[in-house]
């Protein structure tokens, strides 16, 4: 009998969790040591809202004992992805990898699909964040809306009060757009101040380019002051962290390849990011591209060259500025989850702050506890994010600091909003901005 007449079994559908290296899936030994560090478990005391509970669900899917249901998907989106559980875990469970694959599994199953959600994801993840020109177009429109006074007018008119409560909350969170994008503020190549010791590239990011282009400019200035020639091409792209954290694996891979092409790692001593959430993702391109024969080797080199700005400055030795911008100020430091848990960078930002003369660093209680920003978590889980923000602001108040420093755009925005809603006279700023200001006062 000809084999062509035999019924063919359809190929098994790809499953992110079933296809994941089983040594990652079965690593958890259920000790529960991570539970007290998990903000969602702390809030609900429910096992399924804990790292251990979530890992059990993921393993059940990997083992074929459970299908990805809506409850599973909701649970994965209730998780902040803060990675505090990874810091606490004595068994070295790679929750970051499990979490990304679990969200990808949730997306692939389609259990969360609705026309509104599909439209929103298509607009943001597949259109807006795949091309920086589009993002700048939206940024430009927002800038006009803010600069022409339309935002203030709408807010003062009371019209916004007619909108549903959720829309009012979202409008209140609209970040102020900078008067110029990164390419307006930074030359494609900036020479080192004094002798050139290193050649580095700076990633200007996607949202960072619109909302915190001033931090990008400060980063380039600080690097130049520390003996680096800085390459900052104007036409940069999103690093793909937003896509990987939201289950869009293939788009994240596509963006990673483009980054490697734009910044060939062999041409730089370091590739610098000043955004903790991006850095945590950018350092794992080799894993993301492990099955890509053309890119995997270059991705390994990329991962080695990728440095958070604080990490790089501490590594090369910070050139101390001569004077602080404003003498006698007190600063406290909030640790972005993806810096302290994702990259284990805790001492270096404090080193940067301590290098600034006349600035006193006061430690923040629970400095490593998530502020609720967590990528777009504050947009999709406003209640939990709000509780975490209140907790953070309460601790900030106890320090009596006038400045809060933090190394991630999402945390900056979240704490700015928290301070504004309570009318606190707080300056919320990236540590690198404080260092850049001190250098500007240095002759
Ligand atoms: S990533 Fe954060 S919220 Fe999610 S399980 Fe771990 S500690 Fe909990
Ligand atoms: S994730 Fe780590 S700390 Fe948490 S239960 Fe599993 S082994 Fe224990």
């Amino acid at each position: 009998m000809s084999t062509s007449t035999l019924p063919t079994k359809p190929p098994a559908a790809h499953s992110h969790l079933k296809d994941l290296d089983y040594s990652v899936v079965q690593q958890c030994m259920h000790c529960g040591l991570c539970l007290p560090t998990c903000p969602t478990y702390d809030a609900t005391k429910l096992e399924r809202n804990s790292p251990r509970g979530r890992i059990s669900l993921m393993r059940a899917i990997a083992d074929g004992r459970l299908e990805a249901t809506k409850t599973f998907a909701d649970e994965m989106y209730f998780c902040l992805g803060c990675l505090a559980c990874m810091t606490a875990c004595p068994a070295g469970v790679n929750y970051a990898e499990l979490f990304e694959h679990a969200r990808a599994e949730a997306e692939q199953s389609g259990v969360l699909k609705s026309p509104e959600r599909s439209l929103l994801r298509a607009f943001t993840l597949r259109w807006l964040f795949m091309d920086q020109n589009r993002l700048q177009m939206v940024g430009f429109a927002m800038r006009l809306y803010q600069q022409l006074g339309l935002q203030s007018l709408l807010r003062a008119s009371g019209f916004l009060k007619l909108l549903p409560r959720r829309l009012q909350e979202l409008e209140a969170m609209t970040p102020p757009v900078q008067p110029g994008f990164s390419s307006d503020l930074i030359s494609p190549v900036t020479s080192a101040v004094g002798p050139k010791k290193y050649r580095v590239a700076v990633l200007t990011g996607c949202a960072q380019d619109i909302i915190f282009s001033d931090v990008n400019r400060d980063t380039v200035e600080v690097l130049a002051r520390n003996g680096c020639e800085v390459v900052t091409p104007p036409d940069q792209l999103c690093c793909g962290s937003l896509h990987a954290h939201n289950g869009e694996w293939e788009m994240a891979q596509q963006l990673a390849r483009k980054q490697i092409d734009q910044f060939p790692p062999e041409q730089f001593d370091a590739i610098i990011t000043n955004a903790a959430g991006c850095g945590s993702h950018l350092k794992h391109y080799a894993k993301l591209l492990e099955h890509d024969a053309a890119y995997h080797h270059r991705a390994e080199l990329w991962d080695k060259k990728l440095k958070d700005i604080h990490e790089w400055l501490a590594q090369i030795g910070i050139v101390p500025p001569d004077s602080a911008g404003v003498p006698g100020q007190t600063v406290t430091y909030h640790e972005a989850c993806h810096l302290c848990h994702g990259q284990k960078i805790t001492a270096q930002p404090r080193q940067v702050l301590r290098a600034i003369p006349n600035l006193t660093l006061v430690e923040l209680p629970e400095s490593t506890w998530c502020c609720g920003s967590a990528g777009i978590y504050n947009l999709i889980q406003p209640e939990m994010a709000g509780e975490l923000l209140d907790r953070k602001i309460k601790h900030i108040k106890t320090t009596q600091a006038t400045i809060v420093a933090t190394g991630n755009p999402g945390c900056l925005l979240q704490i700015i909003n928290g301070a504004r809603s309570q009318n606190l006279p707080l300056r919320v700023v990236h540590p690198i901005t404080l260092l850049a200001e001190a250098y500007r006062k240095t002759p």
Side-chain angles (χ1 to χ4, degrees):
M1 188 169 65
S2 157
T3 51
S4 63
T5 58
L6 285 173
T8 51
K9 198 176 159 194
H14 165 66
S15 155
H16 280 267
L17 287 171
K18 286 190 184 106
D19 296 349
L20 190 59
D21 180 349
Y22 201 67
S23 66
V24 178
V25 177
Q26 52 91 59
Q27 230 171 351
C28 176
M29 54 188 189
H30 316 293
C31 67
L33 286 174
C34 53
L35 267 57
T37 69
C38 173
T40 54
Y41 178 74
D42 183 71
T44 67
K45 298 291 184 287
L46 294 173
E47 176 71 13
R48 71 161 195 271
N49 299 150
S50 77
R52 185 174 60 187
R54 289 178 177 127
I55 293 167
S56 294
L57 287 174
M58 294 174 200
R59 185 168 178 175
I61 291 183
D63 289 345
R65 288 180 281 116
L66 186 78
E67 286 303 309
T69 58
K70 182 166 181 314
T71 312
F72 167 79
D74 285 341
E75 191 49 60
M76 294 309 125
Y77 278 96
F78 188 49
C79 171
L80 291 144
C82 69
L83 309 183
C85 47
M86 270 180 78
T87 300
C89 179
V93 169
N94 189 345
Y95 187 83
E97 194 174 353
L98 284 167
F99 169 72
E100 284 186 352
H101 284 279
R103 280 205 175 169
E105 183 88 29
E107 290 310 320
Q108 198 176 36
S109 69
V111 289
L112 292 175
K113 251 193 186 149
S114 72
E116 301 80 27
R117 192 173 184 275
S118 300
L119 192 69
L120 190 65
R121 285 178 70 88
F123 174 69
T124 52
L125 297 174
R126 289 183 206 132
W127 188 78
L128 193 57
F129 283 90
M130 290 303 282
D131 183 332
Q132 195 61 14
N133 289 325
R134 295 172 193 155
L135 203 61
Q136 287 193 348
M137 243 162 49
V138 173
F140 187 71
M142 278 171 65
R143 188 192 290 161
L144 280 185
Y145 168 69
Q146 289 170 354
Q147 284 183 350
L148 295 177
L150 292 174
Q151 186 175 47
S152 318
L153 205 68
L154 267 183
R155 284 180 177 178
S157 72
F159 169 77
L160 294 173
K161 294 205 175 80
L162 303 175
L163 297 176
R165 191 161 151 254
R166 185 68 197 120
L167 280 183
Q168 287 182 45
E169 287 166 359
L170 286 175
E171 198 283 334
M173 286 162 70
T174 319
V177 174
Q178 285 289 313
F181 302 126
S182 304
S183 54
D184 301 323
L185 307 179
I186 309 166
S187 308
V189 179
T190 305
S191 305
V193 175
K196 172 183 152 185
K197 297 185 201 149
Y198 309 98
R199 184 169 190 264
V200 304
V202 164
L203 306 180
T204 49
C206 50
Q208 176 90 353
D209 176 46
I210 313 289
I211 305 161
F212 292 113
S213 53
D214 54 339
V215 178
N216 287 335
R217 177 204 56 209
D218 297 341
T219 303
V220 171
E221 276 185 35
V222 163
L223 285 164
R225 287 273 190 166
N226 282 271
C228 301
E229 179 187 71
V230 191
V231 177
T232 326
D235 50 346
Q236 300 198 28
L237 280 170
C238 171
C239 68
S241 117
L242 194 62
H243 302 81
H245 291 163
N246 287 282
E248 295 293 351
W249 205 249
E250 278 169 21
M251 272 182 269
Q253 288 173 324
Q254 222 176 302
L255 288 165
R257 288 185 197 104
K258 288 186 179 173
Q259 289 283 354
I260 294 172
D261 287 341
Q262 184 168 31
F263 298 97
E266 49 286 341
Q267 293 180 13
F268 299 100
D269 294 306
I271 300 163
I272 309 287
T273 176
N274 54 23
C278 304
S280 185
H281 172 72
L282 282 156
K283 285 181 174 175
H284 299 286
Y285 274 2
K287 189 80 203 160
L288 188 66
L289 300 172
E290 69 181 325
H291 302 301
D292 185 330
Y295 279 88
H296 179 63
H297 180 64
R298 297 180 74 207
E300 282 181 328
L301 185 60
W302 166 281
D303 289 359
K304 285 191 193 123
K305 296 278 176 86
L306 208 289
K307 301 282 174 193
D308 173 77
I309 177 68
H310 310 92
E311 180 185 22
W312 174 246
L313 289 174
Q315 185 180 320
I316 62 175
I318 306 167
V319 172
D322 286 350
S323 62
V326 184
Q329 296 247 39
T330 310
V331 65
T332 195
Y333 175 60
H334 160 66
E335 310 205 37
C337 300
H338 282 252
L339 208 50
C340 65
H341 301 307
Q343 300 178 62
K344 310 293 180 233
I345 293 174
T346 56
Q348 299 92 325
R350 289 177 169 87
Q351 260 174 273
V352 167
L353 292 170
R354 289 200 178 102
I356 301 171
N358 300 324
L359 190 68
T360 308
L361 174 63
V362 189
E363 283 299 331
L364 176 66
E366 289 189 358
S367 63
T368 60
W369 198 262
C370 181
C371 66
S373 164
I376 54 166
Y377 192 88
N378 53 356
L379 303 179
I380 58 176
Q381 301 280 359
E383 260 177 48
M384 184 69 210
E387 278 175 34
L388 290 170
L389 178 57
D390 289 347
R391 183 168 174 154
K392 185 61 64 182
I393 296 288
K394 191 183 87 191
H395 285 310
I396 289 171
K397 281 187 196 164
T398 66
T399 67
Q400 299 191 336
T402 52
I403 305 172
V404 180
T406 187
N408 189 51
C411 307
L412 283 167
L413 284 179
Q414 176 82 337
I415 298 173
I416 287 170
N417 283 333
R420 193 173 51 205
S421 70
Q422 294 196 27
N423 287 322
L424 291 181
L426 260 186
R427 183 173 181 214
V428 189
V429 69
H430 198 292
I432 292 305
T433 293
L434 295 172
L435 185 58
E437 286 172 359
Y439 282 136
R440 281 180 210 132
K441 299 264 173 180
T442 300

